[in-house]
Amino acid sequence: MKQPLIEFKNVEKRFGDTVIFRDFNFSVEEGEIVSIIGPSGSGKSTLLRILMTLEGIEGGVVRVAGKPLWHKETDKGLVLADEKHLHEMRNHLGMVFQHFNLFPHMTVKRNITEAPMRVQGKTEIEANKIADELLELVGLSDKADMYPNSLSGGQKQRVGIARALAMQPAILLLDEITSALDPELVEEVLDVIRNLALKHSFTMLLVTHEMYFAREISDRVCFFDQGAIVEEGEPERLFIHPNEERTKAFLKAYMSQ
Amino acid sequence: MPFGEIVSILLEGTWVTLKIVAFALPLAAIMAFTFGLLRMYAPKPIKYVSVAYIEFFRGTSALIQLYWIYFVLPFFGVSIDAMTAGVLAIGLNIGAYGTEVVRGAMQSVPKGQYEASVALNFTSSQRLWRILMPQALVNMIPPFGNLAIELVKATSLVSLITIADLTYRAKSLADMTLQVTEIFAVVLVLYFVIAQVLAFSFKGIEKRLSRGLGRGGLD
């Protein structure tokens, strides 16, 4: 059987006494676009943050490209990974944040070229070429020399996407990337993702509150509640004929907003 | 004594004061960064050493620290000349306060900046020096400016260990001539001018650094 690109197995995650995940299982195939929907506090973002190595796990194992993410395989079984291992594993992943998190002390272009140069050892010429292409892809070629603070939210987020793509990750994690935007700026960001989904064979994992977008772009939608996947399936099926009561209630509440 | 002569003697003292500032200020900055960062990021035993340094120098009087370095350490076989003792005491003392400035400024950088730097797979030293520090530095400059002025004023303590700085000369002149008003008026102005020059320089640095940060739009 083909191994999934991302696999959570019996994962446990706690914040102090609060249990986020217990015996959590989840997997994503290569090239799959998976949307995660659900009420806030259900562990959606935590899932992405665990993958990006921003949050550790208390039990179970997470595998990315077949290798344990938070552990190292040794003769004596799995041991907690060191920074070197995490550094290696992060090469597979890229993340776009809800609040953009652009580096304010760097121009738009430097935001994109810094990691390819410093982390991947690309030359300035190579990095600039990548940045130029990506800025064109997100429609911001004219903003290359500006600082992030002079951009609109939608523009910032498009830079955020370009910055993550510059590292050529196999997996792109999108954490509520339109939640902090004014409504009229949401589409320009979603268009970029639509474009990506069409033209490239990324594996994408997105946490979103834009239901129509999840429906349109995803291969699979997972409805999360209280740290568990209540229901998952193809978007058409899940949105039109949800099986579970909790899914129905959530979608109904969402529709009536 | 003619006013001109008073001023010229006091200017000599100012020169001594400036020399102490010139050495103590970089020492304080080095201590502030070193121990401020060690306190935040170093493994436990080293962290405790920095906490001990910081709390000791903040928690005891600068004058007593100076006396210890100059008068007490010789009994333990460590003899230090007055100038070095003055620079050490003042640099270490102000440096201890500076560690808190470094720590506060580092913590003021939004958490998302750290997260983005992890997501882009920067190494921990790249995260610190390329992402977090350039942003924190801007926030450090105004409180560092304050501390620099504190440092200038603290140098007057060295007059108590026989260094002929501005304060020392002022006191001896006053004892000798009894022209208290003129002398201490000039002293006041001289300290004030030094402090203003420092304040002005720090403003300049702040302005430059924030421009790099892209604050306030384009440039």
Side-chain angles (χ1 to χ4, degrees):
Chain A
M1 204 186 97
K2 207 173 143 241
Q3 212 167 23
L5 186 59
I6 300 171
E7 188 181 24
F8 281 62
K9 207 160 185 196
N10 303 330
V11 169
E12 182 171 333
K13 170 70 192 166
R14 273 178 278 131
F15 288 115
D17 291 336
T18 315
V19 178
I20 307 292
F21 298 130
R22 177 173 287 155
D23 267 335
F24 177 75
N25 294 291
F26 176 69
S27 63
V28 177
E29 301 295 327
E30 194 177 339
E32 207 180 5
I33 299 179
V34 180
S35 291
I36 300 169
I37 60 169
S40 24
S42 56
K44 306 184 304 276
S45 287
T46 307
L47 179 78
L48 298 195
R49 294 170 58 80
I50 288 172
L51 281 168
M52 197 62 257
T53 72
L54 296 170
E55 300 283 355
I57 54 175
E58 274 73 45
V61 67
V62 177
R63 284 176 191 275
V64 172
K67 277 194 192 165
L69 177 67
W70 279 101
H71 301 87
K72 261 167 96 165
E73 272 165 331
T74 65
D75 311 337
K76 287 174 242 152
L78 294 179
V79 294
L80 219 55
D82 51 13
E83 177 60 27
K84 191 167 157 260
H85 175 79
L86 293 177
H87 187 75
E88 215 169 279
M89 294 304 290
R90 280 186 207 114
N91 280 324
H92 298 287
L93 298 142
M95 186 160 180
V96 182
F97 297 89
Q98 180 178 1
H99 296 287
F100 333 123
N101 301 350
L102 298 182
F103 304 132
H105 58 302
M106 299 179 184
T107 62
V108 164
K109 197 168 196 169
R110 270 281 302 288
N111 262 278
I112 300 171
T113 58
E114 187 75 1
M117 281 164 63
R118 307 286 172 200
V119 179
Q120 296 179 331
K122 292 210 161 64
T123 65
E124 196 171 346
I125 298 168
E126 290 168 332
N128 278 334
K129 191 165 163 274
I130 295 171
D132 289 338
E133 285 167 10
L134 287 170
L135 282 171
E136 200 179 319
L137 178 83
V138 299
L140 290 172
S141 299
D142 55 328
K143 308 285 185 202
D145 298 320
M146 293 198 172
Y147 283 96
N149 282 6
S150 57
L151 303 182
S152 73
Q155 291 170 336
K156 282 182 195 168
Q157 195 56 296
R158 286 188 274 155
V159 176
I161 295 167
R163 184 176 69 171
L165 291 176
M167 296 295 279
Q168 296 161 317
I171 303 162
L172 193 58
L173 307 170
L174 307 170
D175 188 11
E176 300 196 30
I177 60 167
T178 56
S179 298
L181 298 178
D182 292 333
E184 72 271 20
L185 301 176
V186 168
E187 280 310 309
E188 65 181 61
V189 171
L190 294 184
D191 275 340
V192 170
I193 304 297
R194 283 189 185 101
N195 227 328
L196 276 178
L198 275 177
K199 290 186 188 153
H200 303 267
S201 56
F202 275 113
T203 304
M204 273 197 246
L205 196 48
L206 46 133
V207 169
T208 184
H209 290 291
E210 314 285 350
M211 297 303 152
Y212 67 96
F213 181 67
R215 183 171 162 180
E216 172 193 334
I217 197 177
S218 314
D219 299 313
R220 174 160 56 110
V221 176
C222 301
F223 172 65
F224 256 60
D225 196 14
Q226 294 169 2
I229 299 171
V230 175
E231 181 168 2
E232 61 181 319
E234 283 180 18
E236 294 300 317
R237 208 274 301 149
L238 188 125
F239 282 114
I240 300 170
H241 305 292
N243 295 327
E244 300 291 327
E245 283 310 314
R246 274 196 280 173
T247 319
K248 284 179 196 166
F250 174 78
L251 290 175
K252 202 174 150 200
Y254 175 80
M255 294 308 173
S256 64
Q257 262 174 25
Chain B
M1 193 183 277
F3 188 68
E5 211 166 307
I6 289 175
V7 171
S8 104
I9 291 174
L10 289 177
L11 279 177
E12 276 170 43
T14 308
W15 178 239
V16 175
T17 295
L18 286 177
K19 268 203 283 196
I20 297 169
V21 171
F23 287 106
L25 204 57
L27 174 65
I30 290 167
M31 297 308 281
F33 275 100
T34 309
F35 286 94
L37 293 175
L38 285 178
R39 185 182 187 167
M40 291 181 77
Y41 301 116
K44 282 236 166 84
I46 301 173
K47 188 179 271 184
Y48 292 145
V49 171
S50 17
V51 172
Y53 156 67
I54 294 163
E55 294 310 329
F56 177 78
F57 276 92
R58 287 199 314 167
T60 58
S61 133
L63 182 59
I64 304 303
Q65 290 158 19
L66 181 66
Y67 281 174
W68 260 86
I69 292 174
Y70 188 62
F71 294 122
V72 183
L73 286 189
F75 286 108
F76 296 94
V78 187
S79 277
I80 299 174
D81 66 279
M83 190 70 177
T84 313
V87 167
L88 273 179
I90 289 158
L92 292 176
N93 182 276
I94 299 292
Y97 286 95
T99 58
E100 289 298 291
V101 171
V102 171
R103 188 163 75 132
M106 293 301 293
Q107 284 171 345
S108 75
V109 178
K111 209 169 150 247
Q113 292 293 312
Y114 168 80
E115 293 181 350
S117 66
V118 171
L120 289 166
N121 215 356
F122 288 110
T123 62
S124 43
S125 84
Q126 286 171 333
R127 278 175 222 156
L128 176 62
W129 295 109
R130 297 197 171 274
I131 308 298
L132 304 180
M133 187 58 84
Q135 299 181 53
L137 212 49
V138 186
N139 295 338
M140 287 179 205
I141 299 305
F144 269 157
N146 274 337
L147 279 181
I149 292 171
E150 285 297 322
L151 185 141
V152 170
K153 294 187 288 183
T155 56
S156 65
L157 293 178
V158 301
S159 63
L160 297 167
I161 55 164
T162 72
I163 296 179
D165 76 326
L166 180 53
T167 301
Y168 182 91
R169 302 221 185 194
K171 274 193 300 188
S172 358
L173 266 183
D175 289 344
M176 209 162 70
T177 64
L178 299 178
Q179 290 164 286
V180 196
T181 318
E182 294 105 303
I183 292 167
F184 284 110
V186 174
V187 171
L188 219 55
V189 169
L190 285 172
Y191 274 118
F192 183 74
V193 168
I194 300 173
Q196 283 306 297
V197 169
L198 274 175
F200 192 75
S201 318
F202 274 87
K203 274 257 157 58
I205 298 171
E206 189 191 353
K207 225 170 154 180
R208 249 188 101 146
L209 286 178
S210 4
R211 199 162 48 199
L213 251 186
R215 287 187 185 167
L218 293 175
D219 155 72

